[in-house]
């Protein structure tokens, strides 16, 4: 072991190079891989739906950053979760109350982005006042795979009505509005963050289609369905000119979240959360400016990188550099930091180690010279003296062949003077006579 250490010290340049390469390899192995170049986003099938609009906004900004974005049309939140679990998409919007932490293990939330009010419209002329009156009725609850259907069934179940006690119809949006207007159904339950499509149509139908006000039952619903929050539709919120609606309404709303796999790249998370803030920070009818996105009331665990972003914002590099440049610099720093941590002390002690290495090439010959001198002091006979002189000549030849930088040649000359001194001791007349002769 000592010989190995001695070799490592003697060959410090090789050792330093190996250590630096090892640290660089370690840093590279620990550094996160580069982000993927393609991201698959689940989008809605209705052009003006909040999910489709938001997903398209994300896609356009990701493409502007340099990603390839593949848009995958889906039927809604339930289908989005299924595709996330099957890894058919990377990012999707999911309605609150749909995800299950055990069933959807491995998925994480990147933050809530907007409230999605529940719009319950009833035929005013059929004696219907609230959800509890829908037993035995024909009700539009949204298509299979949609979050609307899951939420509608949960609302009716909270009123003691299971799926066998009414006729659920897979209608949504404009189709549900048309069916309610023509009287082929008794009620329509819609979930929409924007007042457009079927919601806008039914609000403009006037008193024939009555929008349910949840003001008196909001707290009771919140106890039974805690993923619902209370939002207010102000009087004139749809149209001030038409005084639509003609009074304020209290609505119930789940919150939509952006969901991704737990192994999503950390820098993609930072980029996405930044995009979400840009898209969803402005004021809306149901939220003050800056309310969304946020990390509150999530069905799934919050992604740790997203949580850090909400707390601290973007990194300095991401703030000042284009995304892909910041990615490259951050990965390079991750590799170089351990190398620099080792290189600085090596640079500091390198000259001393180099000097020690050069001088050691001379000093190691002193051990041979010391042994020859010790034997010369024992008053050897003529044959032994001749042998010692031969050893001295061989030693002097090896020393003369040493190739050292000019700064260290003085050590060679000093050793040759010492060799001459020992040779003088081997002279039959002794060192003093030799000195007088010279």
């Amino acid at each position: 072991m000592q010989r190995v250490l001695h070799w490592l010290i003697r060959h410090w340049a090789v050792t330093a190079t190996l250590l630096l390469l090892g640290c660089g390899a370690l840093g590279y192995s620990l550094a996160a891989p580069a982000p993927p170049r393609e991201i698959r986003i689940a989008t809605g099938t209705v052009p003006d739906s909040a999910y489709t609009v938001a997903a398209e906004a994300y896609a356009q900004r990701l493409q502007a950053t340099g990603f390839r974005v593949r848009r995958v049309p889906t039927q809604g939140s339930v289908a989005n979760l299924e595709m996330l679990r099957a890894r058919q998409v990377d990012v999707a919007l999911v309605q609150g109350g749909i995800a299950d932490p055990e069933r959807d293990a491995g998925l994480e939330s990147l933050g809530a982005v907007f409230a999605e009010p529940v719009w319950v419209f009833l035929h005013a002329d059929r004696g219907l006042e609230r959800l509890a009156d829908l037993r035995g009725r024909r009700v539009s609850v949204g298509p299979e795979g949609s979050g609307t259907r899951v939420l509608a069934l949960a609302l009716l179940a909270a009123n003691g009505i299971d799926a066998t006690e009414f006729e659920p119809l897979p209608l949504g949006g404009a189709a549900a509005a048309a069916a309610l207007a023509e009287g082929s159904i008794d009620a329509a339950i819609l979930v929409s963050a924007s007042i457009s499509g079927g919601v806008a149509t039914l609000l403009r139908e006037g008193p024939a289609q009555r929008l349910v006000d949840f003001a008196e039952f909001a707290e009771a619903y919140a106890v039974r369905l805690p993923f619902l929050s209370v939002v207010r539709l102000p009087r004139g919120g749809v149209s001030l000119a038409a005084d639509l609606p003609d009074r304020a309404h209290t609505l119930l709303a789940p919150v939509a979240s952006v969901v991704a796999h737990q192994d999503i790249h950390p820098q993609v998370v930072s980029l996405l959360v930044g995009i979400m803030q840009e898209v969803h920070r402005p004021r809306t009818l149901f939220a003050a400016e800056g309310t969304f996105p946020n990390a509150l009331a999530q069905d799934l665990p919050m992604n740790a990188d997203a949580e850090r972003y909400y707390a601290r914002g973007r990194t300095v590099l991401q703030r000042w550099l284009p995304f892909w440049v910041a990615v490259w610099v951050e990965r390079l720093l991750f590799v170089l930091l351990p190398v620099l941590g080792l290189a600085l002390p090596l640079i500091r002690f390198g000259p001393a180690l180099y000097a020690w290495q050069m001088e050691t090439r001379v000093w190691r010959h002193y051990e041979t010279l010391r042994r020859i001198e010790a034997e010369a002091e024992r008053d050897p006979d003529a044959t032994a003296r001749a042998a010692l002189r031969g050893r001295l000549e061989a030693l002097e030849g090896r020393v003369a062949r040493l190739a050292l930088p000019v700064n260290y040649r003085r050590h060679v000359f000093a050793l040759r003077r010492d060799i001459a001194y020992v040779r003088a001791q081997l002279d039959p007349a002794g060192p003093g006579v030799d000195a007088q002769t010279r």
Side-chain angles (χ1 to χ4, degrees):
M1 184 65 183
Q2 289 181 345
R3 294 180 64 182
V4 173
L5 291 175
H6 183 67
W7 185 92
L8 290 174
I9 295 173
R10 282 184 58 198
H11 299 82
W12 71 271
V14 175
T15 304
T17 303
L18 291 175
L19 287 173
L20 292 176
L21 290 174
C23 285
L26 178 63
Y28 184 81
S29 66
L30 295 177
R37 283 286 180 172
E38 181 179 87
I39 295 179
R40 299 164 298 173
I41 297 182
T43 63
T45 54
V46 181
D48 60 349
S49 72
Y51 281 27
T52 302
V53 171
E56 184 59 31
Y58 303 161
Q60 290 178 4
R61 286 164 174 79
L62 286 169
Q63 286 174 329
T65 306
F67 284 92
R68 294 188 301 272
V69 179
R70 186 146 60 93
R71 298 159 176 84
V72 183
T74 71
Q75 290 298 320
S77 292
V78 175
N80 287 356
L81 283 171
E82 291 175 355
M83 298 188 79
L84 280 167
R85 289 195 299 268
R87 290 191 174 270
Q88 295 173 341
V89 296
D90 304 305
V91 179
L93 284 153
V94 176
Q95 179 182 297
I98 305 298
D100 179 82
E102 293 185 5
R103 182 197 64 204
D104 301 315
L107 301 181
E108 294 180 337
S109 172
L110 303 186
V113 288
F114 51 77
E116 296 185 272
V118 182
W119 308 85
V120 180
F121 291 94
L122 308 175
H123 253 297
D125 58 354
R126 297 184 182 180
L128 304 174
E129 298 289 334
R130 56 194 185 96
L131 286 172
D133 298 329
L134 294 179
R135 183 177 276 104
R137 301 287 185 163
R138 293 167 56 84
V139 183
S140 154
V141 294
E144 292 286 350
S146 67
T148 299
R149 189 179 189 89
V150 175
L151 180 53
L153 295 177
L155 288 170
L156 291 168
N159 283 273
I161 304 173
D162 63 38
T164 63
E165 295 179 297
F166 72 102
E167 186 177 350
L169 300 172
L171 304 176
L180 188 62
E182 68 185 21
S184 60
I185 60 175
D186 300 296
I189 300 177
L190 307 173
V191 178
S192 176
S194 60
I195 303 177
S196 59
V199 172
T201 300
L202 290 172
L203 283 172
R204 288 183 168 85
E205 284 292 322
Q209 320 302 337
R210 191 172 68 81
L211 175 64
V212 173
D213 188 339
F214 289 93
E216 296 182 8
F217 301 97
E219 292 183 6
Y221 277 107
V223 170
R224 290 165 176 79
L225 303 173
F227 57 87
L228 294 176
S229 56
V230 176
V231 296
R232 282 181 58 79
L233 173 64
R235 179 174 180 173
V238 178
S239 172
L240 281 171
D243 190 21
L244 187 67
D246 58 4
R247 64 183 182 86
H249 286 69
T250 298
L251 305 177
L252 301 174
V255 176
S257 299
V258 176
V259 177
H261 303 286
Q262 63 183 6
D263 57 1
I264 185 173
H265 197 283
Q267 287 163 321
V268 173
V269 171
S270 298
L271 179 63
L272 274 172
V273 176
I275 289 173
M276 289 156 53
Q277 288 182 331
E278 182 180 342
V279 173
H280 301 292
R281 182 179 180 83
R283 179 183 178 85
T284 65
L285 185 62
F286 300 108
E289 181 179 0
T291 301
F292 295 106
N294 62 57
L296 304 176
Q298 304 299 303
D299 298 329
L300 296 170
M302 272 296 297
N303 178 276
D305 295 300
E307 209 159 20
R308 278 192 292 271
Y309 189 100
Y310 287 116
R312 304 173 191 171
R314 289 180 294 176
T315 64
V316 175
L317 290 175
Q318 291 175 349
R319 194 175 296 123
W320 294 103
L321 295 175
F323 175 78
W324 288 105
V325 176
V327 167
W328 184 84
V329 172
E330 285 181 3
R331 297 186 73 234
L332 183 63
L333 287 176
F334 207 98
V335 173
L336 288 182
L337 283 177
V339 173
L340 293 174
L342 183 62
L344 291 176
L346 286 176
I347 292 171
R348 178 181 177 186
F349 296 110
L353 288 172
Y354 180 76
W356 180 88
Q357 180 186 357
M358 293 297 104
E359 293 169 0
T360 300
R361 295 176 64 188
V362 177
W363 294 340
R364 62 191 177 90
H365 294 290
Y366 272 97
E367 179 62 25
T368 303
L369 183 61
R370 187 193 65 78
R371 288 195 296 268
I372 295 173
E373 183 181 27
E375 293 181 26
E377 290 173 350
R378 296 180 191 142
D379 194 19
D381 56 24
T383 303
R385 284 175 181 274
L388 290 175
R389 287 192 190 95
R391 290 168 61 187
L392 280 174
E393 289 175 2
L395 175 60
E396 190 170 23
R398 290 195 298 272
V399 172
R401 289 191 296 271
L402 286 176
L404 293 176
V406 175
N407 292 346
Y408 299 96
R409 292 294 297 173
R410 66 182 186 277
H411 300 295
V412 174
F413 293 128
L415 177 55
R416 295 180 71 177
R417 284 195 301 269
D418 294 336
I419 292 173
Y421 172 78
V422 174
R423 182 185 292 111
Q425 286 183 319
L426 292 172
D427 190 284
V433 174
D434 182 71
Q436 279 185 347
T437 303
R438 282 188 284 175

